[in-house]
Amino acid sequence: MDLEALRTATLAFVEAHKAWTPLIAGGLAFCESIAVLSLFVPATVILIGIGALVGGADIPLWPVVLGAALGAALGDWISYEAGRWLGPGAKTKWPLRRYPELMAKAEAFIGRWGIAAVALGRFFGPARALVPLFAGILGLARLPFQLANVASALVWAFVLLAPGAGLLTWLDR
């Protein structure tokens, strides 16, 4: 699969179908947040490009931010619930067993930061999808997880999309 062609095609579709932008951003953020799927979808690069289109194609910023935040929160929630369902034995299953050092780092990160790891992990590439999975595996409580999940998804979506959308220009309005 040619990732550049995928990026170009997605951005061209967004430009041609502006009304779909929040849904597309949500779908990309969802894929970016699912534990294994995130390895195959170059969503961050495309979302940054969508941010630039928002600024240049007169697409409203807030619906796109909310769409991306919702997609990211749903993806993390599914990863968390998968971790709860699989339990500690998940570390011995494919594909997690192929990356024991990454699993150890994710577990240590959650052990050190607790529920704050959910919010912090969203801003670090590979950790973005693994932290919710491990939060579930380690049995972190659902309500604190969801609070950190939703709050960090909103911040993450805004931070990712706003610079390309011309944050300073938008704030001057």
Side-chain angles (χ1 to χ4, degrees):
M1 172 171 47
D2 182 6
L3 296 179
E4 180 61 26
L6 176 63
R7 183 187 67 79
T8 303
T10 303
L11 294 177
F13 183 84
V14 168
E15 195 166 12
H17 306 284
K18 296 174 188 174
W20 287 82
T21 306
L23 185 61
I24 294 166
L28 288 166
F30 178 80
C31 292
E32 177 79 6
S33 299
I34 294 288
V36 176
L37 185 59
S38 67
L39 300 172
F40 302 105
V41 180
T44 301
V45 173
I46 298 172
L47 284 167
I48 291 169
I50 287 174
L53 283 176
V54 165
D58 198 33
I59 299 170
L61 175 63
W62 289 110
V64 179
V65 168
L66 291 176
L70 180 61
L74 285 173
D76 277 6
W77 183 18
I78 289 173
S79 292
Y80 170 83
E81 291 299 334
R84 296 274 304 210
W85 181 71
L86 292 169
K91 294 185 281 185
T92 64
K93 294 179 176 51
W94 182 90
L96 299 181
R97 71 170 175 236
R98 295 183 64 201
Y99 306 99
E101 67 287 340
L102 192 58
M103 301 305 105
K105 286 180 182 180
E107 197 167 353
F109 183 65
I110 292 171
R112 178 174 183 201
W113 293 98
I115 207 67
V118 175
L120 294 171
R122 184 171 308 278
F123 295 91
F124 299 101
R128 185 175 4 269
L130 290 178
V131 168
L133 179 69
F134 268 86
I137 289 170
L138 297 172
L140 293 180
R142 279 187 175 94
L143 182 59
F145 169 81
Q146 287 298 1
L147 292 173
N149 176 27
V150 171
S152 66
L154 286 165
V155 172
W156 173 80
F158 181 77
V159 166
L160 194 66
L161 294 165
L167 177 62
L168 296 177
T169 305
W170 184 78
L171 289 174
D172 285 341
R173 289 183 192 177

